[in-house]
Amino acid sequence: MTSLVDMDLVSASGADHGVVRAAHRMYEHLIGIWAPGVIEAAFDLGVFVALGDQPVTAAQLADELDTNPRGMRVLLDALYAYEILDRTVTDGAVGYTLPSDLRECLRPDGLYSLAGKMRYDRMRAWDAWRNLADEVRGTGGATQQHNQISDVQYESLARGINFWAPPIVSALAGALREHGWTPYQATKLLDVGCGTGLYSQLMLREFPAMSGLGIDVPRIVPIARSQSERVGVEARFDAVVRDFWEQDWGSGFDLVLFANIFHLQTPEAAQDLSLKASKSLADGGVVAIIDQIIDDGTGPGTTQDRFFRLFAASMLATGGGDAYTLSEYDQWLNTAGLRRIRLIDTPMHRILLAVRA
């Protein structure tokens, strides 16, 4: 959407213009908190479930959801300001609807629902960001640790970032075809820390002869199995409970997949993952790391790298981890007897492909 702050400051005097413009820009950053506040309040109240195709007035919705009518009107208008709701006026009555393309991501039952992300914000992120200064001081406990979120928080977050997967999987599948893979080649995939399993499940759609195994914690494995049925690949996908630090992963995998795993680790743990991946590969196999990988050779100006550096701040605030640089990944891979062959930009991520050196 367009900027919420009017940056046309022609009326400011020459001496003050630069400072005033900077203040407006900083103010817009500061009011960024308004958006999650409005969206997550609506989620908590059940607004997105209650709204449908037909316009509903604030009074009607307030009656249905047992809220204050004025408060509901203010909330709905704020959602309209953020271009989340449509607003129409008929015979003087203001009605609100939720556009169809937003229903899937704002209602709890959608495959690409952000409900888990919003639950995670409520459980963890809001308080964590408030205490970011403690983490920078080193008094908060998260600096250079494995990510310390609980199993419940991990479940919510895993469910809330499914929407990341489709464009990434499309790019990954295309790169593997360019590498020589064919759709009906029998291959084995290992998804380490699989979460809901959507990355590997969508890969199985791309490669109909591929079979996939996901490993994760007890709370997550049933989610991945259930979702494989929803995606239609349950016959070729399984998820098992396995401590991927203490237990063997197996061997002979043509693709070892890490989706949003490395940023949760310390550098020492990331090195261990690289070594374990190398041992698990079949001859000619590929390691695919999907993560917020900073390309330290391009400078800070790219959209990707700006996002990754902000993502690192979120890791610092919410439990540990980091956004590591490409040179760090190369060092871990080289130590594990692997070498990078591709780096691919995708939305909010990069894909690093590596093979045995």
Side-chain angles (χ1 to χ4, degrees):
M1 62 180 293
T2 57
S3 170
L4 291 177
V5 176
D6 182 5
M7 295 295 286
D8 183 12
L9 304 177
V10 294
S11 61
S13 68
D16 294 336
H17 185 274
V19 174
V20 172
R21 188 176 185 83
H24 275 74
R25 183 162 57 89
M26 290 302 103
Y27 182 77
E28 184 160 19
H29 288 320
L30 291 171
I31 65 173
I33 195 173
W34 294 0
V38 166
I39 295 166
E40 291 175 15
F43 173 78
D44 287 350
L45 292 167
V47 169
F48 302 130
V49 174
L51 287 174
D53 295 326
Q54 300 303 312
V56 177
T57 68
Q60 290 170 328
L61 201 58
D63 184 61
E64 179 180 348
L65 300 179
D66 192 25
T67 71
N68 176 272
R70 175 183 172 277
M72 180 58 70
R73 188 261 303 163
V74 170
L75 180 64
L76 295 176
D77 278 343
L79 291 166
Y80 169 66
Y82 280 117
E83 300 175 2
I84 294 166
L85 299 185
D86 289 333
R87 184 180 187 272
T88 57
V89 181
T90 306
D91 297 329
V94 178
Y96 302 87
T97 56
L98 181 63
S100 59
D101 60 342
L102 287 174
R103 289 175 204 154
E104 175 85 358
C105 60
L106 290 175
R107 292 179 174 177
D109 57 349
L111 180 61
Y112 302 113
S113 172
L114 294 168
K117 163 66 172 140
M118 289 186 274
R119 291 192 186 103
Y120 173 77
D121 284 352
R122 293 310 212 203
M123 287 186 289
R124 176 70 180 171
W126 279 84
D127 287 338
W129 276 106
R130 185 180 299 116
N131 297 311
L132 176 60
D134 290 339
E135 301 300 342
V136 176
R137 292 187 187 102
T139 59
T143 305
Q144 285 301 301
Q145 295 183 5
H146 293 286
N147 193 273
Q148 300 297 303
I149 64 174
S150 70
D151 285 350
V152 176
Q153 292 165 350
Y154 176 46
E155 177 186 343
S156 288
L157 193 56
R159 288 179 181 271
I161 56 176
N162 265 359
F163 77 98
W164 278 350
I168 293 171
V169 169
S170 178
L172 174 57
L176 290 174
R177 293 188 188 100
E178 292 174 8
H179 187 63
W181 286 35
T182 59
Y184 292 96
Q185 174 184 351
T187 50
K188 292 171 56 181
L189 178 157
L190 176 66
D191 190 345
V192 181
C194 65
T196 68
L198 189 61
Y199 291 86
S200 49
Q201 292 157 11
L202 293 180
M203 282 296 295
L204 267 55
R205 281 185 174 179
E206 296 278 352
F207 294 94
M210 177 184 282
S211 61
L213 175 67
I215 59 176
D216 215 311
V217 298
R219 190 179 189 95
I220 297 297
V221 162
I223 298 171
R225 287 177 176 165
S226 175
Q227 186 174 267
S228 71
E229 298 176 5
R230 184 170 184 177
V231 177
V233 296
E234 69 275 12
R236 293 183 288 126
F237 175 86
D238 192 17
V240 297
V241 175
R242 190 167 298 170
D243 183 334
F244 58 74
W245 296 113
E246 301 297 332
Q247 295 177 281
D248 185 67
W249 297 2
S251 60
F253 292 100
D254 301 286
L255 179 63
V256 177
L257 178 66
F258 298 94
N260 300 298
I261 298 298
F262 271 71
H263 71 249
L264 302 174
Q265 314 306 324
T266 63
E268 295 77 16
Q271 180 66 83
D272 288 345
L273 290 180
S274 302
L275 291 165
K276 288 175 178 289
S278 182
K279 293 176 182 177
S280 299
L281 278 181
D283 290 341
V286 177
V287 175
I289 300 172
I290 300 163
D291 224 305
Q292 285 74 34
I293 302 170
I294 297 172
D295 188 349
D296 37 354
T298 63
T302 67
T303 299
Q304 299 281 38
D305 291 315
R306 287 200 303 271
F307 174 77
F308 300 158
R309 287 181 166 89
L310 292 171
F311 187 88
S314 78
M315 289 294 96
L316 180 63
T318 58
D322 208 337
Y324 295 110
T325 66
L326 184 59
S327 59
E328 288 175 299
Y329 279 94
D330 283 342
Q331 180 179 338
W332 298 326
L333 294 170
N334 292 339
T335 300
L338 300 166
R339 64 180 176 87
R340 170 167 53 95
I341 59 171
R342 288 285 301 273
L343 186 68
I344 306 162
D345 282 355
T346 63
M348 293 185 278
H349 295 77
R350 286 191 171 110
I351 305 171
L352 187 157
L353 299 183
V355 297
R356 284 207 181 103

